[in-house]
């Protein structure tokens, strides 16, 4: 279903007044129709076509909304304060925008006159409406308000964290962002439709000195995720007032919204004299154009409703022992991301962040059902208000048939190391669980008790057949301590007396994901999963993406599946209210590069991963050695395409 509305659609007679108005004129029959369509500038001397007879009169609920042309001038309703074309106002004096305002004013004037007499004041010929501000006072207040906003903007620009702007970042570097349709788990990811350049919307008009909030029509010049670079209609090739905004924001509306909502539609001050017949100009410009669907804001709201709620209980990986799970409580939900607090944490500081579709969380009882290790809680009964999450809310994994040829303990494969997501390592299947789940260990780095084994599903896009890295020109990390380099699988299998897991058992589905090298996005730092950072896709191998965190060295890069719920469109943080981590400043990179390279995995201390420090943490140390944060970059959602693993791709 298309997600934009063609402005040429002809409404029924009953809908014309509501749908076909640009919110500019009502009672148009009473307006002066001999208004010249000539322009006050050379650029606008082009003739504007007369209104087609098939188009309905553009009306809107008894109010007049437009910027004045040179002939008629502007008037302000003395009752409701509405600004509009003077000639369209009611009565000879043009003091009111409608009959109802005139009558209300008359009634209030009589009341004011009576009140004045009761107070012993001499009655005036024209009693003023109580508590009405003159236009001059409103304009002065609005000007002061605008000055305050500009002052605040200048102050913010001096702070690097607050000052980061996706729009400026993309414009200054000519970057391209991954489209929203690449992220099926994100808001609007499955119903974005054909929102693209040239789609028209109604937005607040910031180039205006009026005291009330007014709107104007703008067209999308460029899309970057949820963010759109907009240009007001009438500016043609002039980009001086172009601005970025989140297309899912509350101030973005389809064309026709102003008319239906009774909001003023006013041309920007910079071009107010460019045309004298703005109505005809808009009719010509918008005929055949597309806008957002009428229910766009409703769809945005619905797509941001999340089934997980605080106080729900789940089973989640134990970040101190990867081989087991623990019970945790949903503490908060932001944009589908869950802050989980382990059930035994009394002060609620022992937490873990992941998305609600993460393969690391499961329903209560999952571990027992498949034979996975589980740490029992010291809490003997549920705390008041806590309840088990319904099983159907979790991401579903693809069903597999384990009755025929299947994975066996000791088989070799290649796997993304969950403790170092920039590396694909030589790995071994250590245990076969039920329902297609496998316990896997990284060769040369395993603890004697298997406490660092980790669980991947057989269809996980984070495990690969032997030879995958070599064929796709990815550096394979050999077992620690293995000295026979360069590493050769044939020799290693012979030396260890092992066999490779059959290629046909691996997930070879490759969806048409839409990612391209160089695209910008917002990505979770899976070694510190509470952080969402500015990132770039630097390599694509089938469904596998190499994610680089802007401003950081390549050693911090992470391999992530194209359907990972930890990747988001540009603008996701702004939309959901999550904190975005901007590119690291040079000083931060230099201070951390030396220490991070000395951080190696060892069994005497728990691995913390390559930590990145936010600008607000530059004076803090890395997390102390009591625990580490871990999150695998895999999504077990079923994909919709296929391709062979054994197709060489250029790096």
């Amino acid at each position: 279903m298309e997600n934009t509305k063609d402005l040429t659609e002809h409404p029924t007679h009953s809908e014309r007044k509501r749908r076909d108005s640009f919110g500019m004129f009502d009672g148009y029959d009473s307006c002066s129709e001999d208004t010249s369509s000539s322009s006050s500038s050379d650029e606008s001397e082009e003739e504007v076509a007369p209104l087609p007879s098939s188009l309905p009169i553009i009306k809107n609920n008894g109010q007049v909304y437009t910027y004045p042309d040179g002939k008629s001038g502007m008037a302000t309703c003395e009752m409701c304060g509405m600004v509009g074309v003077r000639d369209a106002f009611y009565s000879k004096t043009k003091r009111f925008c409608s009959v109802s305002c005139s009558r209300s004013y008359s009634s209030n004037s009589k009341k004011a006159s009576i009140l004045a007499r009761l107070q012993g004041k001499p009655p005036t010929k024209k009693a003023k409406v109580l508590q009405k501000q003159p236009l001059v006072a409103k304009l002065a207040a609005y000007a002061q308000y605008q000055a305050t906003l500009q002052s605040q903007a200048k102050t913010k620009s001096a702070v690097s964290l607050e000052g980061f702007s996706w729009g400026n970042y993309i414009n200054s570097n000519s970057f391209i962002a991954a489209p929203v349709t690449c992220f099926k788990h994100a808001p609007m990811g499955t119903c974005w439709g054909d929102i693209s350049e040239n789609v028209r919307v109604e937005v607040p008009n910031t180039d205006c000195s009026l005291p009330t909030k007014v709107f104007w029509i703008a067209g999308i010049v460029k899309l970057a995720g949820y963010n759109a670079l907009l240009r007001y209609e009438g500016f043609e090739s002039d980009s001086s007032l172009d601005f970025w905004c989140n297309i899912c924001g509350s101030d973005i509306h389809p064309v026709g919204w102003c008319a239906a909502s009774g909001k003023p539609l006013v041309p920007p001050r910079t071009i107010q004299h460019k045309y004298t017949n703005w109505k005809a100009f808009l009719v010509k410009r918008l005929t055949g154009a597309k806008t957002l669907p009428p229910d766009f804001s409703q769809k945005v709201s619905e797509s941001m409703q999340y089934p997980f709620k605080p106080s729900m209980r789940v089973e989640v990986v134990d970040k101190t022992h990867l081989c087991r799970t623990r019970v945790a409580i949903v503490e908060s939900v932001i944009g589908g991301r869950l802050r989980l607090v382990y059930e035994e944490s009394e002060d609620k500081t022992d937490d873990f962040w992941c998305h609600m579709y993460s393969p690391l969380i499961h329903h209560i009882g999952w571990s027992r059902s498949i034979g996975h290790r589980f740490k029992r809680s010291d809490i003997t009964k549920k705390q008041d208000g806590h309840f088990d999450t319904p099983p159907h809310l979790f991401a579903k994994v693809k069903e597999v048939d384990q009755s025929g040829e299947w994975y066996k303990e000791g088989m070799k494969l290649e796997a993304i190391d969950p403790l170092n997501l920039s590396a694909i390592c030589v790995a071994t299947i250590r245990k076969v669980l039920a329902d297609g789940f496998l316990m896997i260990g990284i060769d040369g780095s395993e603890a004697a008790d298997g406490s660092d084994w980790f669980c991947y599903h057989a269809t996980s896009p984070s495990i690969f057949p032997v030879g995958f890295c070599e064929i796709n020109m990815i550096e394979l990390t050999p077992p620690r301590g293995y000295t026979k380099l360069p590493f050769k699988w044939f020799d290693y299998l012979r030396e260890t007396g092992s066999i490779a897991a059959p290629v046909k058992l691996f997930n070879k589905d490759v969806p048409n994901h839409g990612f391209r090298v160089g695209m910008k996005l917002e990505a979770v730092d899976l070694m510190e999963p509470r952080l969402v950072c500015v990132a770039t896709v630097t390599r694509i191998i089938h469904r596998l993406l190499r994610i680089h965190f802007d401003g950081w060295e390549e050693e911090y890069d992470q391999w992530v599946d194209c359907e990972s719920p930890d990747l988001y469109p540009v603008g996701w943080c702004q939309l959901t209210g999550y904190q975005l981590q901007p590119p690291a400043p040079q000083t931060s990179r230099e201070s951390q590069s030396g220490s991070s390279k000395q951080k190696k995995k060892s069994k005497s201390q728990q691995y913390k991963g390559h930590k990145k420090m936010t600008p607000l943490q530059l004076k803090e140390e890395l997390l102390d050695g009591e625990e580490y944060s871990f999150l695998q970059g895999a999504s077990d959602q079923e994909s919709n395409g296929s391709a062979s693993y054994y197709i060489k791709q250029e790096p």
Side-chain angles (χ1 to χ4, degrees), residues 151-266:
S151 175
Q152 291 175 350
K154 290 180 181 178
T155 303
K156 283 187 176 181
S157 64
V159 184
S160 60
L161 182 62
E162 296 291 335
F164 176 78
S165 164
W166 262 120
N168 293 337
Y169 191 56
I170 288 176
N171 270 354
S172 59
N173 298 280
S174 299
F175 291 140
I176 298 176
V180 174
T181 51
C182 290
F183 310 88
K184 305 303 182 186
H185 58 280
M188 301 299 292
T190 58
C191 53
W192 189 250
D194 57 352
I195 297 176
S196 59
E197 295 176 6
N198 296 319
V199 167
R200 307 301 208 283
V201 292
E202 291 180 351
V203 295
N205 177 5
T206 57
D207 182 29
C208 182
S209 58
L210 298 177
T212 56
K213 187 175 184 178
V214 296
F215 294 79
W216 190 240
I217 293 171
I220 297 178
V221 177
K222 184 176 183 178
L223 269 179
Y226 293 118
N227 293 348
L229 180 63
L230 299 179
R231 181 173 301 168
Y232 288 123
E233 203 63 61
F235 273 80
E236 310 301 338
S237 59
D238 181 2
S239 61
S240 59
L241 288 185
D242 287 3
F243 61 98
W244 286 90
C245 70
N246 195 304
I247 207 72
C248 294
S250 59
D251 270 338
I252 311 299
H253 308 282
V255 172
W257 176 85
C258 283
S261 306
K263 302 294 182 181
L265 200 58
V266 177

Side-chain angles (χ1 to χ4, degrees), residues 47-67:
E47 292 186 6
V48 178
L51 298 179
S53 58
S54 60
L55 287 178
I57 295 174
I58 302 176
K59 295 187 175 184
N60 183 44
N61 304 333
Q63 301 291 349
V64 181
Y65 308 130
T66 186
Y67 200 90

Side-chain angles (χ1 to χ4, degrees), residues 365-414:
W366 173 84
S367 297
R368 176 183 295 180
S369 68
I370 70 162
H372 194 284
R373 290 173 65 177
F374 176 75
K375 180 186 179 183
R376 295 188 178 278
S377 173
D378 294 336
I379 300 176
T380 56
K381 63 178 182 179
K382 300 178 188 176
Q383 296 184 16
D384 292 341
H386 294 174
F387 58 100
D388 295 352
T389 306
H392 72 272
L393 297 185
F394 297 87
K396 301 296 186 296
V397 294
K398 186 178 180 180
E399 292 185 4
V400 294
D401 181 11
Q402 297 183 224
S403 60
E405 185 177 11
W406 193 242
Y407 293 99
K408 296 179 181 179
E409 291 183 18
M411 284 184 172
K412 300 293 183 181
L413 70 165
E414 299 175 4

